[in-house]
Amino acid sequence: MPLSRIKQSDSLLAVLALIGSMASLCIGTSFAKSLFASIGAQGTTALRVSFAAVILICVWRPWRFPLSGKNARAIALYGAALGGTNLLFYMSLRTIPLGLAIAIEFTGPLAVAVLSSRRAIDFLWIGCAVTGLILLLPLGEAATHLDPVGIGFALAAGVGWALYIVFGQMAGNAHGGQATSLGMTMAALVALPFGLGHAGLEMFSPALLLSGLAVGILSSAIPYSLEMVALKRLPRRTFGILLSLEPAMGALAGLAFLNEQLTPIQWVAIAAIIVASIGCTATSKSKR
């Protein structure tokens, strides 16, 4: 087979893997939201990250790799940010639609990208993101009637995602599998007290444990695995542009599985934030 055909095949596989990753994450999150009535967002978060941690520990067996004190501290911060982000994001889902929560959360990594660049064109992407957020705020005659507390949780999740990126870069010297598995374990330690405090022993009923395992697989194990496939075959810029479509996929998943109807203004807001994310990624400086 010609080399060009092989590269095209690899690229197609990578694109399909990334689309599958986003689809699995959105479907898993939609299913997770259905558990809120039983154990709340706190209990659902605790089950998700705990099962994800167990799966990743079994896959990577992090004890096989050396771990310095410096890397251990960085992984602990990375995991704490991961756990906090998951908890805050699920708390936002109690009162606002999935697609909007993802879009608002996206402003966190977008802010990191823009602040690390400070070029003139980035103000255009800042304007798009701010426009999207303003359209979602419950202000004036064009108010979307979203819960302000839910919006606040989503914005806080965005801050958590930004910290996750910063701390993840600090943990970059450790083995990737070790950092991911130990980081998820730390995330579970952060989320479990909140889950137990809200849901108590109800979390450990067989039916909910099975549901939590399904959420962990769909929302963490499968997406992370497919993202690894995509990252190895796609330029980072292409990967980031495609990942920017996740809010739209979340909105479609919310519509299909949760019957979450969005207003035209909310769709425009999602589009503005997606444009900001794609634009920031496409105009960023990259070696690939």
Side-chain angles (χ1 to χ4, degrees), residues 3 5 15 68 85 93 96-97 112 118 152-153 164 167 183 199 202 216 222 229 233 239 244 257 281 284:
L3 183 60
R5 292 287 297 277
V15 170
S68 67
T85 300
L93 291 180
I96 65 176
V112 171
R118 297 194 180 104
F153 275 121
Y164 162 82
F167 294 143
E202 181 67 19
I222 291 177
V229 172
R233 292 170 171 81
F239 180 91
S244 299
F257 298 104
T281 303
S284 65

mmCIF file of all heavy atoms in Angstrom, residues 3 5 15 68 85 93 96-97 112 118 152-153 164 167 183 199 202 216 222 229 233 239 244 257 281 284:
data_model
loop_
_atom_site.group_PDB
_atom_site.id
_atom_site.type_symbol
_atom_site.label_atom_id
_atom_site.label_comp_id
_atom_site.label_asym_id
_atom_site.label_seq_id
_atom_site.Cartn_x
_atom_site.Cartn_y
_atom_site.Cartn_z
ATOM 1 N N LEU A 3 2.514 4.889 0.713
ATOM 2 C CA LEU A 3 2.655 5.586 1.995
ATOM 3 C C LEU A 3 1.555 6.613 2.203
ATOM 4 O O LEU A 3 1.039 6.781 3.314
ATOM 5 C CB LEU A 3 4.030 6.266 2.061
ATOM 6 C CG LEU A 3 4.368 6.991 3.380
ATOM 7 C CD1 LEU A 3 4.338 5.995 4.530
ATOM 8 C CD2 LEU A 3 5.735 7.650 3.277
ATOM 9 N N ARG A 5 -1.488 6.512 1.127
ATOM 10 C CA ARG A 5 -2.736 5.818 1.494
ATOM 11 C C ARG A 5 -2.697 5.397 2.965
ATOM 12 O O ARG A 5 -3.713 5.460 3.667
ATOM 13 C CB ARG A 5 -2.928 4.589 0.604
ATOM 14 C CG ARG A 5 -3.212 4.912 -0.867
ATOM 15 C CD ARG A 5 -4.644 5.442 -1.025
ATOM 16 N NE ARG A 5 -5.617 4.464 -0.646
ATOM 17 C CZ ARG A 5 -6.066 3.485 -1.431
ATOM 18 N NH1 ARG A 5 -5.575 3.344 -2.668
ATOM 19 N NH2 ARG A 5 -6.989 2.647 -1.004
ATOM 20 N N VAL A 15 -9.399 10.469 13.384
ATOM 21 C CA VAL A 15 -10.594 11.319 13.426
ATOM 22 C C VAL A 15 -11.779 10.525 13.979
ATOM 23 O O VAL A 15 -12.523 11.012 14.844
ATOM 24 C CB VAL A 15 -10.920 11.874 12.031
ATOM 25 C CG1 VAL A 15 -12.290 12.550 12.020
ATOM 26 C CG2 VAL A 15 -9.851 12.864 11.594
ATOM 27 N N SER A 68 9.386 10.346 41.661
ATOM 28 C CA SER A 68 10.084 11.285 42.534
ATOM 29 C C SER A 68 9.085 12.073 43.371
ATOM 30 O O SER A 68 7.884 12.128 43.048
ATOM 31 C CB SER A 68 10.926 12.257 41.693
ATOM 32 O OG SER A 68 10.079 13.103 40.917
ATOM 33 N N THR A 85 -12.883 19.383 39.198
ATOM 34 C CA THR A 85 -13.534 19.728 37.934
ATOM 35 C C THR A 85 -14.713 18.812 37.659
ATOM 36 O O THR A 85 -15.799 19.274 37.264
ATOM 37 C CB THR A 85 -12.524 19.634 36.769
ATOM 38 O OG1 THR A 85 -11.445 20.534 37.017
ATOM 39 C CG2 THR A 85 -13.182 19.985 35.444
ATOM 40 N N LEU A 93 -24.704 20.209 36.069
ATOM 41 C CA LEU A 93 -25.673 19.458 35.252
ATOM 42 C C LEU A 93 -27.009 19.254 35.955
ATOM 43 O O LEU A 93 -27.987 18.867 35.316
ATOM 44 C CB LEU A 93 -25.095 18.086 34.873
ATOM 45 C CG LEU A 93 -23.928 18.074 33.887
ATOM 46 C CD1 LEU A 93 -23.479 16.641 33.634
ATOM 47 C CD2 LEU A 93 -24.308 18.748 32.574
ATOM 48 N N ILE A 96 -28.647 22.819 34.492
ATOM 49 C CA ILE A 96 -28.500 23.356 33.140
ATOM 50 C C ILE A 96 -28.212 22.217 32.165
ATOM 51 O O ILE A 96 -27.673 21.185 32.554
ATOM 52 C CB ILE A 96 -27.403 24.442 33.049
ATOM 53 C CG1 ILE A 96 -26.018 23.860 33.331
ATOM 54 C CG2 ILE A 96 -27.704 25.587 33.992
ATOM 55 C CD1 ILE A 96 -24.907 24.885 33.144
ATOM 56 N N PRO A 97 -28.577 22.386 30.893
ATOM 57 C CA PRO A 97 -28.405 21.322 29.900
ATOM 58 C C PRO A 97 -26.936 20.960 29.670
ATOM 59 O O PRO A 97 -26.028 21.778 29.847
ATOM 60 C CB PRO A 97 -29.030 21.909 28.629
ATOM 61 C CG PRO A 97 -29.967 22.959 29.109
ATOM 62 C CD PRO A 97 -29.321 23.529 30.329
ATOM 63 N N VAL A 112 -6.737 29.709 29.235
ATOM 64 C CA VAL A 112 -5.326 29.331 29.368
ATOM 65 C C VAL A 112 -4.594 29.547 28.053
ATOM 66 O O VAL A 112 -3.485 30.107 28.014
ATOM 67 C CB VAL A 112 -5.192 27.857 29.806
ATOM 68 C CG1 VAL A 112 -3.735 27.400 29.739
ATOM 69 C CG2 VAL A 112 -5.724 27.683 31.218
ATOM 70 N N ARG A 118 -1.326 36.071 24.085
ATOM 71 C CA ARG A 118 -1.394 37.539 24.122
ATOM 72 C C ARG A 118 -1.137 38.186 22.753
ATOM 73 O O ARG A 118 -0.501 39.216 22.650
ATOM 74 C CB ARG A 118 -0.396 38.108 25.143
ATOM 75 C CG ARG A 118 -0.663 37.691 26.584
ATOM 76 C CD ARG A 118 0.143 38.547 27.535
ATOM 77 N NE ARG A 118 -0.097 38.157 28.911
ATOM 78 C CZ ARG A 118 0.752 37.445 29.628
ATOM 79 N NH1 ARG A 118 1.888 37.049 29.116
ATOM 80 N NH2 ARG A 118 0.466 37.135 30.877
ATOM 81 N N GLY A 152 -22.776 29.156 37.528
ATOM 82 C CA GLY A 152 -21.620 29.354 38.403
ATOM 83 C C GLY A 152 -20.799 28.092 38.567
ATOM 84 O O GLY A 152 -19.561 28.126 38.525
ATOM 85 N N PHE A 153 -21.479 26.962 38.748
ATOM 86 C CA PHE A 153 -20.768 25.690 38.868
ATOM 87 C C PHE A 153 -20.017 25.368 37.578
ATOM 88 O O PHE A 153 -18.885 24.873 37.612
ATOM 89 C CB PHE A 153 -21.725 24.557 39.207
ATOM 90 C CG PHE A 153 -22.013 24.395 40.679
ATOM 91 C CD1 PHE A 153 -23.318 24.481 41.166
ATOM 92 C CD2 PHE A 153 -20.993 24.156 41.580
ATOM 93 C CE1 PHE A 153 -23.587 24.329 42.521
ATOM 94 C CE2 PHE A 153 -21.244 24.007 42.937
ATOM 95 C CZ PHE A 153 -22.547 24.093 43.407
ATOM 96 N N TYR A 164 -6.309 22.053 35.825
ATOM 97 C CA TYR A 164 -5.976 20.687 35.409
ATOM 98 C C TYR A 164 -4.926 20.709 34.303
ATOM 99 O O TYR A 164 -3.977 19.914 34.302
ATOM 100 C CB TYR A 164 -7.265 20.000 34.946
ATOM 101 C CG TYR A 164 -7.093 18.765 34.110
ATOM 102 C CD1 TYR A 164 -6.846 17.534 34.711
ATOM 103 C CD2 TYR A 164 -7.213 18.811 32.722
ATOM 104 C CE1 TYR A 164 -6.702 16.387 33.941
ATOM 105 C CE2 TYR A 164 -7.082 17.671 31.941
ATOM 106 C CZ TYR A 164 -6.828 16.456 32.562
ATOM 107 O OH TYR A 164 -6.682 15.327 31.798
ATOM 108 N N PHE A 167 -1.529 22.011 35.973
ATOM 109 C CA PHE A 167 -0.920 20.992 36.814
ATOM 110 C C PHE A 167 -0.543 19.746 36.005
ATOM 111 O O PHE A 167 0.425 19.052 36.326
ATOM 112 C CB PHE A 167 -1.860 20.608 37.954
ATOM 113 C CG PHE A 167 -2.108 21.719 38.942
ATOM 114 C CD1 PHE A 167 -3.356 21.890 39.530
ATOM 115 C CD2 PHE A 167 -1.092 22.603 39.283
ATOM 116 C CE1 PHE A 167 -3.583 22.921 40.439
ATOM 117 C CE2 PHE A 167 -1.306 23.632 40.182
ATOM 118 C CZ PHE A 167 -2.555 23.785 40.760
ATOM 119 N N GLY A 183 -3.295 10.164 39.149
ATOM 120 C CA GLY A 183 -4.096 11.389 39.173
ATOM 121 C C GLY A 183 -5.575 11.091 39.351
ATOM 122 O O GLY A 183 -6.268 11.760 40.121
ATOM 123 N N ALA A 199 -24.860 10.835 49.563
ATOM 124 C CA ALA A 199 -25.631 9.625 49.254
ATOM 125 C C ALA A 199 -25.496 8.541 50.301
ATOM 126 O O ALA A 199 -26.344 7.641 50.375
ATOM 127 C CB ALA A 199 -25.201 9.080 47.884
ATOM 128 N N GLU A 202 -26.102 4.294 50.216
ATOM 129 C CA GLU A 202 -26.920 4.029 49.028
ATOM 130 C C GLU A 202 -26.041 3.887 47.781
ATOM 131 O O GLU A 202 -26.400 3.179 46.837
ATOM 132 C CB GLU A 202 -27.913 5.186 48.829
ATOM 133 C CG GLU A 202 -28.846 5.025 47.640
ATOM 134 C CD GLU A 202 -29.835 3.889 47.815
ATOM 135 O OE1 GLU A 202 -30.052 3.467 48.963
ATOM 136 O OE2 GLU A 202 -30.377 3.425 46.792
ATOM 137 N N GLY A 216 -18.271 5.038 34.476
ATOM 138 C CA GLY A 216 -16.818 5.125 34.481
ATOM 139 C C GLY A 216 -16.207 4.664 33.170
ATOM 140 O O GLY A 216 -15.262 5.265 32.656
ATOM 141 N N ILE A 222 -13.148 4.561 28.045
ATOM 142 C CA ILE A 222 -13.211 4.566 26.579
ATOM 143 C C ILE A 222 -12.723 5.887 25.993
ATOM 144 O O ILE A 222 -11.883 5.898 25.078
ATOM 145 C CB ILE A 222 -14.640 4.241 26.095
ATOM 146 C CG1 ILE A 222 -14.980 2.778 26.415
ATOM 147 C CG2 ILE A 222 -14.778 4.494 24.599
ATOM 148 C CD1 ILE A 222 -16.398 2.379 26.041
ATOM 149 N N VAL A 229 -5.311 7.137 20.961
ATOM 150 C CA VAL A 229 -5.185 6.729 19.562
ATOM 151 C C VAL A 229 -5.138 7.957 18.658
ATOM 152 O O VAL A 229 -4.310 8.049 17.744
ATOM 153 C CB VAL A 229 -6.363 5.812 19.161
ATOM 154 C CG1 VAL A 229 -6.348 5.533 17.654
ATOM 155 C CG2 VAL A 229 -6.316 4.511 19.943
ATOM 156 N N ARG A 233 -1.824 10.120 16.155
ATOM 157 C CA ARG A 233 -1.948 10.141 14.700
ATOM 158 C C ARG A 233 -2.340 11.499 14.126
ATOM 159 O O ARG A 233 -2.282 11.689 12.917
ATOM 160 C CB ARG A 233 -2.976 9.085 14.255
ATOM 161 C CG ARG A 233 -2.513 7.654 14.489
ATOM 162 C CD ARG A 233 -3.642 6.664 14.257
ATOM 163 N NE ARG A 233 -3.177 5.292 14.269
ATOM 164 C CZ ARG A 233 -2.951 4.584 15.379
ATOM 165 N NH1 ARG A 233 -3.157 5.159 16.553
ATOM 166 N NH2 ARG A 233 -2.524 3.343 15.301
ATOM 167 N N PHE A 239 -6.249 18.083 16.319
ATOM 168 C CA PHE A 239 -6.891 17.463 17.474
ATOM 169 C C PHE A 239 -7.703 18.498 18.249
ATOM 170 O O PHE A 239 -8.857 18.271 18.608
ATOM 171 C CB PHE A 239 -5.822 16.839 18.380
ATOM 172 C CG PHE A 239 -6.366 16.158 19.611
ATOM 173 C CD1 PHE A 239 -6.689 14.820 19.593
ATOM 174 C CD2 PHE A 239 -6.548 16.872 20.795
ATOM 175 C CE1 PHE A 239 -7.180 14.180 20.726
ATOM 176 C CE2 PHE A 239 -7.036 16.255 21.927
ATOM 177 C CZ PHE A 239 -7.359 14.902 21.888
ATOM 178 N N SER A 244 -12.978 20.882 19.778
ATOM 179 C CA SER A 244 -13.819 22.060 20.009
ATOM 180 C C SER A 244 -15.286 21.813 19.673
ATOM 181 O O SER A 244 -16.164 22.603 20.055
ATOM 182 C CB SER A 244 -13.295 23.240 19.179
ATOM 183 O OG SER A 244 -11.983 23.575 19.555
ATOM 184 N N PHE A 257 -30.917 11.937 24.492
ATOM 185 C CA PHE A 257 -31.046 11.031 25.629
ATOM 186 C C PHE A 257 -31.758 11.641 26.834
ATOM 187 O O PHE A 257 -32.271 10.922 27.683
ATOM 188 C CB PHE A 257 -29.651 10.541 26.072
ATOM 189 C CG PHE A 257 -28.927 9.759 25.018
ATOM 190 C CD1 PHE A 257 -27.899 10.335 24.295
ATOM 191 C CD2 PHE A 257 -29.291 8.452 24.727
ATOM 192 C CE1 PHE A 257 -27.227 9.623 23.316
ATOM 193 C CE2 PHE A 257 -28.630 7.729 23.747
ATOM 194 C CZ PHE A 257 -27.593 8.308 23.038
ATOM 195 N N THR A 281 -7.388 27.686 18.542
ATOM 196 C CA THR A 281 -6.553 26.519 18.209
ATOM 197 C C THR A 281 -5.928 26.664 16.827
ATOM 198 O O THR A 281 -4.739 26.383 16.635
ATOM 199 C CB THR A 281 -7.406 25.238 18.249
ATOM 200 O OG1 THR A 281 -8.014 25.102 19.549
ATOM 201 C CG2 THR A 281 -6.545 24.002 17.984
ATOM 202 N N SER A 284 -3.082 29.242 16.723
ATOM 203 C CA SER A 284 -2.005 29.100 17.695
ATOM 204 C C SER A 284 -0.722 28.651 17.000
ATOM 205 O O SER A 284 -0.757 28.041 15.922
ATOM 206 C CB SER A 284 -2.385 28.088 18.771
ATOM 207 O OG SER A 284 -2.517 26.792 18.214
#
